[in-house]
Amino acid sequence: MQAQLPVPDDTHHSYGPAGAGPGDADAVLAGLDPEQRAVATALHGPVCVLAGAGTGKTRAITHRIAYGVRSGVYRPQQVLAVTFTARAAGEMRGRLRQLGAEGVQARTFHSAALRQLQYFWPRAVGGEVPRLLERKVQLVAEAAGRCGMRVQRTELRDLTGEIEWSKVTQIVPEDYPAAVAKAGREAPRDAAEISRVYGIYEQLKRDRGVIDFEDVLLLTAAILEDRPEIAEQVRAQYQHFTVDEYQDVSPLQQRLLDQWAGPGASLCVVGDASQTIYSFTGATPDYLLGFRSRHPDATVVKLVRDYRSTPQVVHLANGLLAQARGEAAQHRLELISQREAGPEPVYTEYPDEPAEAEGTAQRIRELMARGVRASEIAVLFRTNGQSEVYEQALADLGLPYQLKGAERFFERPEIREAGTLLRGAARAGGADTLAVDGPELAAHVRAVLASRGFSAEPPAGSGAVRERWESLAALVRLAEEFEAQQRAAGRPADLAAYVAELDARANAQHAPAVEGVTLASLHAAKGLEWDAVFLVGLTEGMMPITYAKTDEQVEEERRLLYVGVTRAREHLSLSWALARSPGGRAGRTPTRFLDGLRPGSAARGVRAGGRAGAEGGVEKSGRRNRGPVKCRVCGRVLSEAVERKLRRCEGCPSSMDEALFERLRAWRGETARTHGVPAYVVFTDATLMAIAEDPPGSERDLAGIAGVGPAKLDKYGADVLSLCAGEQPVDGAAEPPGEGTLGDDGEEPENSPEK
């Protein structure tokens, strides 16, 4: 039976629960902080909620919906709340029921679109809705086969991911190669090959009368675009929209949302650009960042009171974002912890990965002995291939654990296949005893795994191919460790014994764990929180990951670490290992993202010797105030980077000396041309505006402006002060900052000429 859209009934003015009155509605607002209350009472859109991690965004938007319903402004059936996961939608529905707002629809994009597609298809197209393809992999495999491509099973996930990315970014098969090149995306195979697979996959779907999940959104949007009367029916049904995690919306989802809402709907979006970590799937923060441009009359509320984490955790999170660059960084929120003080984050350097895992497990055992529940502890890593050593370390101490967002290590297809190959090799003669004093077992394991594509060096790019390599590499490392242990004990190291060791480990780790430590990738941890979080493997090459090449890819890695930090309520541990294996070369370095934040490190990516790192960081001046910055007009605490630089709210009146600003711009342009550098390398527009709004009268005043560090003060200070005094620059030929640097504040320009 097809789902029915409830028919709106406009004969009643008040839609609140029976007997509800103003007092009942006001009760919904009890316990909200001033910013959350501002969200809850902004019942008429457009509304944009910029909500930092742990600031109670779900609480704010569910209370907003409940207040609208209980006050009679909203009819429950005319409200649609959209989010990205079934778990989040279920949580939202539960909260709304508790608040007396039953009947409100809280769904994922796909669930809401599928419901409408099933209802309108007979009228718009005719006949039955095509069958929904639950899994694409088999059809993608068939399409690859028809292209003459031999694709390993794990590679199919990469091909499927590319097809999904293309569809949510609305790229047709023939345009895929050009789109990949334009986006700077590293395709897992030749782009022309993927284009052919994509095209044949689409044809196979048409031939068999099936659709995939992306088609659900595409077809629903197309019906609403082509049939105005259907679009009007939907818009009459749903008149109040709330979109959670708006920084993760894709172009296809935005297209559908535009059709749902139409020009007159009440729209509320909530998100945080600093938590954009899924751009590889087609998600983009552009719609969140550009919301005020598209809706100039929007009500904007910022949630910065962090109720989740201690001040110590929040301080580190703020420090990470303070070093960020790019457009999203210009809209970062400065969190303010509302909790009592807690322990400082712990930074630990280990000699090798097994020692890091063992040390982490020991600390987890200590926390559990002090009363922290296992389910309130998490170990977070960058890739799923890192999990095995932590699974084993926890198992060795008898500590229960559970994996989120990934299969158990020994249940992964590549590991099961490798186990079969190793057993076969052992039966075929590999069981002969190997030399006790030579590292031959690991070499034998490498040779066996090489028959399935394992290589000494990791593959380029990301995705399933890389994760498969990481998993197989873990088996090789395990063989090295097992062989060393056998030699130390004077026992022979043979392949049969190693296979038996693998079986024993697999059996030990299959025991069910009701109350277990969570092992998860950083991506899988999004939206979750724990009392204690261990961020492990924080070395260059892993964080940021080696295939993060562009500035934006590196910045997304920084945001991923930020998400990890903000999962912790109280205890936070960050660690890294100098070598992969015991006795290996200790050539690794901690992630650049912790430079200037962890004890004993230079600031902003500066390595030993005071030179800027590859990420363009510079020495910390030591004068930057990390405390709250208040608007010099209205006194409100400022959260966005540009506002903090100007020291006033965006909406507060400007006191800028326009003539001075133009003189500064002209001087900057001449200086930049003289030295052959972009204008923003001298000073960004925001810094010039800050100078023109509050002209400095001395070097001390100039040094107090964000964006003017010691190096720029030395190079340009005299010129700027002369211009501020109405005089000609003293020396317009000062040396510009070194090529590739971003200036003393280490920030991406807000309004560079290239933009």
Side-chain angles (χ1 to χ4, degrees), residues 278-514:
Y278 292 109
S279 64
F280 62 93
T281 68
T284 172
D286 292 349
Y287 302 110
L288 176 67
L289 297 177
F291 191 82
R292 283 180 288 183
S293 298
R294 299 193 310 276
H295 304 279
D297 58 334
T299 299
V300 179
V301 183
K302 297 174 185 175
L303 303 182
V304 296
R305 301 175 195 251
D306 188 319
Y307 296 94
R308 174 189 299 160
S309 304
T310 63
Q312 287 75 15
V313 173
V314 167
H315 178 73
L316 175 57
N318 286 338
L320 279 172
L321 291 190
Q323 300 182 14
R325 305 192 301 272
E327 184 179 4
Q330 302 304 321
H331 297 267
R332 62 182 175 263
L333 301 170
E334 187 92 5
L335 299 178
I336 304 171
S337 176
Q338 304 299 298
R339 293 192 52 181
E340 296 292 329
E344 291 289 339
V346 176
Y347 300 84
T348 310
E349 184 174 275
Y350 291 96
D352 51 66
E353 287 182 7
E356 184 179 11
E358 292 165 8
T360 299
Q362 290 284 357
R363 289 205 57 219
I364 288 173
R365 183 165 66 175
E366 293 169 6
L367 284 174
M368 292 175 62
R370 287 156 49 190
V372 181
R373 294 173 55 187
S375 59
E376 290 297 343
I377 302 174
V379 179
L380 306 181
F381 32 76
R382 177 60 181 85
T383 68
N384 289 329
Q386 296 170 268
S387 74
E388 191 274 337
V389 67
Y390 292 93
E391 295 175 50
Q392 186 60 47
L394 292 170
D396 287 345
L397 294 183
L399 303 178
Y401 66 87
Q402 56 183 329
L403 285 170
K404 278 196 179 298
E407 298 166 291
R408 288 180 181 273
F409 181 81
F410 287 102
E411 293 177 358
R412 296 173 191 165
E414 62 269 24
I415 298 302
R416 294 165 69 94
E417 181 183 26
T420 301
L421 291 172
L422 291 168
R423 290 186 191 89
R427 288 194 299 269
D432 295 337
T433 301
L434 300 175
V436 175
D437 58 350
E440 298 183 24
L441 174 61
H444 199 161
V445 171
R446 288 192 195 93
V448 172
L449 299 182
S451 67
R452 288 299 181 268
F454 178 74
S455 60
E457 296 298 323
S462 58
V465 172
R466 177 64 181 236
E467 290 183 6
R468 172 186 169 87
W469 185 91
E470 295 284 0
S471 294
L472 296 178
L475 286 182
V476 174
R477 292 196 296 270
L478 195 60
E480 294 170 347
E481 296 163 11
F482 176 74
E483 188 171 7
Q485 292 168 358
Q486 294 293 92
R487 289 203 310 271
R491 294 191 295 266
D494 60 56
L495 194 56
Y498 175 64
V499 169
E501 172 72 5
L502 290 179
D503 290 340
R505 288 174 178 244
N507 290 334
Q509 293 169 13
H510 284 167
V514 177

Side-chain angles (χ1 to χ4, degrees), residues 238-291:
Y238 296 122
Q239 298 180 10
H240 308 282
F241 292 86
T242 299
V243 184
D244 193 13
E245 302 288 1
Y246 193 55
Q247 78 278 352
D248 289 332
V249 77
S250 70
L252 177 55
Q253 289 165 331
Q254 182 63 45
R255 174 184 170 189
L256 179 58
L257 180 62
D258 289 340
Q259 290 302 313
W260 280 345
S266 174
L267 175 64
C268 173
V269 301
V270 57
D272 179 10
S274 296
Q275 296 188 67
T276 304
I277 59 173
Y278 292 109
S279 64
F280 62 93
T281 68
T284 172
D286 292 349
Y287 302 110
L288 176 67
L289 297 177
F291 191 82

Side-chain angles (χ1 to χ4, degrees), residues 62-113:
T62 52
H63 280 69
R64 177 181 183 268
I65 294 171
Y67 183 67
V69 169
R70 296 179 69 87
S71 63
V73 176
Y74 298 166
R75 185 182 183 196
Q77 291 81 4
Q78 292 184 330
V79 180
L80 178 60
V82 189
T83 188
F84 285 81
T85 66
R87 179 186 61 82
E91 179 185 357
M92 193 175 292
R93 285 193 297 269
R95 293 198 189 195
L96 289 169
R97 281 195 300 270
Q98 293 174 355
L99 292 169
E102 294 184 3
V104 170
Q105 295 292 310
R107 296 178 175 273
T108 64
F109 269 99
H110 285 89
S111 173

Side-chain angles (χ1 to χ4, degrees), residues 432-583:
D432 295 337
T433 301
L434 300 175
V436 175
D437 58 350
E440 298 183 24
L441 174 61
H444 199 161
V445 171
R446 288 192 195 93
V448 172
L449 299 182
S451 67
R452 288 299 181 268
F454 178 74
S455 60
E457 296 298 323
S462 58
V465 172
R466 177 64 181 236
E467 290 183 6
R468 172 186 169 87
W469 185 91
E470 295 284 0
S471 294
L472 296 178
L475 286 182
V476 174
R477 292 196 296 270
L478 195 60
E480 294 170 347
E481 296 163 11
F482 176 74
E483 188 171 7
Q485 292 168 358
Q486 294 293 92
R487 289 203 310 271
R491 294 191 295 266
D494 60 56
L495 194 56
Y498 175 64
V499 169
E501 172 72 5
L502 290 179
D503 290 340
R505 288 174 178 244
N507 290 334
Q509 293 169 13
H510 284 167
V514 177
E515 176 75 14
V517 175
T518 298
L519 299 178
S521 70
L522 287 163
H523 283 100
K526 179 74 166 64
L528 304 175
E529 58 185 81
W530 296 270
D531 286 343
V533 169
F534 291 81
L535 301 176
V536 299
L538 300 180
T539 60
E540 285 289 312
M542 191 60 73
M543 178 57 66
I545 200 76
T546 51
Y547 48 78
K549 304 294 187 183
T550 67
D551 289 344
E552 178 48 40
Q553 288 170 342
V554 171
E555 285 305 311
E556 182 144 329
E557 293 287 300
R558 187 195 306 275
R559 295 193 294 269
L560 189 57
L561 181 57
Y562 171 79
V563 166
V565 167
T566 55
R567 299 310 95 193
R569 298 190 190 104
E570 183 174 1
H571 303 280
L572 178 61
S573 175
L574 305 96
S575 63
W576 56 92
L578 298 178
R580 188 183 72 182
S581 304

